[in-house]
Amino acid sequence: MQRETGEGLHVAIIMDGNGRWAVRRSLPRVAGHRAGVAALRRVVQRAADLGIARLTVYAFSADNWRRPAAEVESIFWLLRAFLRLETERLRQRGARLQIIGRRDRLAESVVREIEKAEYATAAGRGLQLCVAIDYSSRDAITRAAAGAAAALANEGSPSPDSLGRLLTQFITGQNGEVDLLIRTGGEQRLSDFLLWESAYAELIFTDRMWPDFEEADLDAALEEFARRERRFGGVPTARVSVDRLPAGGRR
């Protein structure tokens, strides 16, 4: 699926509801996270099939450290397993994996798996899969502001435009702005996720818990996105037509 400009879509997903999914089934919360990994595999494959350019998913926020230690340990065990098992598959598909967020608080074993996966998929030119781990958008903006201030230190009184351009460069990097942001699990908030990049994103909230999220749910979100009128503060622009979705994306 392509925008009218020909650039690929950037879809972001807040993968919420793993723990509640498990609790409702009288299962340990880790079972929900395990089912959530399976959902991620499905969605990554579907995103690649649909020609989505970038998929950014919220795996572990900076605030998630407040969870019980046993649950946090289980999440990172599943993360390492995902990286070990999926890296070669992503490489073969031509996908590139990137991890955003802090790494200084992660265990060395996790950082090693991240670096190996990023290196192995660095040449990918297909789907760009970005996973946010120990991520806080406020923290990213704060760090970007410090970097921009240092870069402009010799300019005296930099213009708001130059500061804004540098902030965007430092914050978004290669990520670019988000076109469509989906949150599962019934909550309707951004929870400190890609705040700068989502300034003009279309937002879709679904009650479906993340472990139950299927390929058809992604298709439905994209069709809803295609019906939205994106004005960016100006007059209406041409919308993405559902007819332009790949045949498999219309259900």
Side-chain angles (χ1 to χ4, degrees):
M1 178 178 177
Q2 302 291 317
R3 282 189 282 186
E4 293 294 331
T5 59
E7 298 174 4
L9 287 174
H10 182 182
V11 177
I13 303 179
I14 300 176
M15 306 182 294
D16 193 20
N18 292 341
R20 284 173 289 153
W21 180 92
V23 169
R24 290 177 183 179
R25 289 161 175 77
S26 300
L27 298 171
R29 289 176 61 88
V30 66
H33 295 303
R34 189 177 295 112
V37 171
L40 178 58
R41 290 193 185 101
R42 293 193 298 268
V43 170
V44 168
Q45 178 60 60
R46 186 61 179 154
D49 292 343
L50 290 171
I52 291 171
R54 178 172 287 272
L55 176 66
T56 302
V57 297
Y58 208 4
F60 188 86
S61 77
D63 290 327
N64 286 155
W65 290 110
R66 301 173 184 174
R67 296 188 176 188
E71 182 176 350
V72 171
E73 184 178 351
S74 297
I75 290 172
F76 279 102
W77 185 91
L78 287 168
L79 171 64
R80 290 197 302 272
F82 175 83
L83 293 174
R84 287 194 300 268
L85 295 172
E86 295 299 314
T87 295
E88 179 58 21
R89 189 177 304 178
L90 291 170
R91 189 192 68 78
Q92 291 179 0
R93 293 174 185 161
R96 180 180 179 183
L97 179 66
Q98 177 189 8
I99 307 298
I100 60 172
R102 294 180 59 171
R103 301 190 186 187
D104 58 303
R105 297 188 291 195
L106 304 182
E108 290 184 7
S109 59
V110 175
V111 175
R112 284 197 300 270
E113 291 292 345
I114 288 172
E115 292 174 347
K116 286 166 57 179
E118 288 182 329
Y119 178 79
T121 62
R125 294 297 178 266
L127 174 70
Q128 307 294 289
L129 174 60
C130 185
V131 181
I133 300 170
D134 194 5
Y135 176 83
S136 159
S137 189
R138 287 179 172 178
D139 181 68
I141 292 170
T142 299
R143 291 170 181 267
L152 295 171
N154 296 324
E155 290 196 16
S157 299
S159 70
D161 286 344
S162 62
L163 179 59
R165 283 193 298 270
L166 265 181
L167 277 172
T168 298
Q169 176 184 337
F170 278 113
I171 295 169
T172 65
Q174 297 178 344
N175 290 339
E177 296 188 358
V178 174
D179 296 297
L180 169 63
L181 189 147
I182 303 166
R183 179 167 186 154
T184 64
E187 305 292 353
Q188 298 186 16
R189 55 179 176 268
L190 296 182
S191 296
D192 200 14
F193 182 53
L194 300 180
L195 302 179
W196 185 282
E197 297 91 331
S198 298
Y200 283 98
E202 296 296 323
L203 308 179
I204 291 180
F205 301 102
T206 174
D207 291 333
R208 192 177 296 278
M209 299 297 172
W210 176 246
D212 291 330
F213 198 83
E214 300 284 350
E215 295 92 331
D217 297 305
L218 179 60
D219 294 349
L222 289 171
E223 293 198 3
E224 171 61 25
F225 172 81
R227 289 189 289 269
R228 301 282 180 91
E229 191 175 79
R230 307 187 76 198
R231 295 186 295 275
F232 300 98
V235 297
T237 57
R239 288 179 293 174
V240 178
S241 171
V242 174
D243 291 337
R244 299 181 65 219
L245 282 168
R250 298 193 294 273
R251 298 186 179 183

